[in-house]
Amino acid sequence: MYRKFFHSIENLSDKDSLSLNTVIENLSFNDSKLIPVITQDAESKEVLMFAWMNREALEQTLETKRMTYWSRSRQQLWVKGETSGHSQTLVSMAFDCDGDAVLCLIDQSGAACHTGRPGCFYLKVDTEKQRVLISADASKT
């Protein structure tokens, strides 16, 4: 998707910097005022989960370094680990080139998935057999 602000910064070099607030103001939140977030383990680089943030969740995450998401089912902010104790600490955050997705590298304490598994992507597709398998390394913690 063409986003004027993000198109205008495509040719900046790694010596340039931008105001965080300006970039956040130009992010492409959807009609529900949400932006998709991919959460990845900072050490292993394994993708742990996908969730959503609204602007408040994004700003709270940056301020507290505790991953805060928007729960679409409960319609409220959700601090990862607040009830389960399986918390996520922000190591770094990046935005994609269109400003319509967020990537967070985190330190995970406990399981990332609500099922008690290390990550949410444990359903592995076997294209040859046309089956979905439970990943062997997805034991519940």
Side-chain angles (χ1 to χ4, degrees):
M1 165 193 262
Y2 177 80
R3 307 251 323 129
K4 185 177 181 178
F5 173 80
F6 286 90
H7 179 70
S8 74
I9 64 174
E10 285 179 3
N11 294 319
L12 294 179
S13 75
D14 60 1
K15 292 178 177 58
D16 295 315
S17 70
L18 302 161
S19 158
L20 178 59
N21 192 54
T22 299
V23 174
I24 291 172
E25 291 206 10
N26 284 282
L27 290 175
S28 182
F29 292 90
N30 67 16
D31 292 341
S32 298
K33 300 188 181 347
L34 301 174
I35 193 164
V37 182
I38 298 295
T39 304
Q40 186 175 16
D41 186 279
E43 190 174 317
S44 71
K45 303 303 186 235
E46 178 183 1
V47 175
L48 299 174
M49 56 182 278
F50 166 86
W52 296 92
M53 285 181 171
N54 61 10
R55 185 174 176 149
E56 184 180 1
L58 187 130
E59 290 173 343
Q60 186 171 314
T61 296
L62 289 167
E63 182 180 325
T64 66
K65 305 294 188 258
R66 292 186 67 201
M67 290 304 296
T68 305
Y69 302 101
W70 179 256
S71 171
R72 294 180 303 159
S73 60
R74 295 186 310 249
Q75 292 292 296
Q76 66 184 34
L77 290 177
W78 156 46
V79 179
K80 184 69 172 168
E82 201 167 50
T83 56
S84 69
H86 299 211
S87 62
Q88 297 174 338
T89 304
L90 180 68
V91 173
S92 68
M93 181 182 286
F95 308 113
D96 79 331
C97 59
D98 294 323
D100 60 5
V102 181
L103 173 64
C104 292
L105 298 182
I106 58 99
D107 283 330
Q108 178 69 46
S109 171
C113 185
H114 75 281
T115 64
R117 290 179 169 87
C120 295
F121 295 96
Y122 60 88
L123 301 171
K124 306 295 183 183
V125 176
D126 182 332
T127 58
E128 291 294 314
K129 295 181 182 175
Q130 293 292 295
R131 305 284 296 169
V132 174
L133 310 169
I134 306 298
S135 176
D137 60 345
S139 298
K140 292 185 178 187
T141 57

